[in-house]
Amino acid sequence: MSEYDSMKALHNSLPPFQPLISVALLPYIALILLASTFTLAFYISTIPKTTIPGKEIPLAITASILGGFGVVALFCTVGVYV
């Protein structure tokens, strides 16, 4: 029982968690990232198709990364902390 009490005392003495990015900024970050994702997706769908997708692959990877972070920011905005 003394080990539990020492762990409880240690837990109570630690400072609370402070996120690196303010929670108030999350809706704006989500909006910017998701709007960028949709813009890149629209651009990818309108560029002329070539036999070697040299332009499409980097744009698709960028849109995918922006969309992933945008969805995480959106989830955190509505209270689903992932």
Side-chain angles (χ1 to χ4, degrees):
M1 193 71 164
S2 107
E3 186 177 338
Y4 172 76
D5 291 333
S6 65
M7 291 300 286
K8 185 176 178 183
L10 177 64
H11 177 70
N12 289 335
S13 68
L14 293 174
F17 175 74
Q18 185 69 21
L20 296 175
I21 299 173
S22 174
V23 178
L25 291 177
L26 286 175
Y28 304 109
I29 293 171
L31 177 69
I32 291 168
L33 292 174
L34 291 175
S36 302
T37 300
F38 292 128
T39 303
L40 282 174
F42 176 75
Y43 178 70
I44 290 170
S45 66
T46 58
I47 59 175
K49 305 298 181 232
T50 60
T51 56
I52 301 173
K55 254 188 195 177
E56 297 172 7
I57 291 176
L59 289 173
I61 290 172
T62 304
S64 177
I65 291 171
L66 289 174
F69 282 113
V71 167
V72 168
L74 185 63
F75 279 175
C76 290
T77 297
V78 297
V80 181
Y81 296 104
V82 292

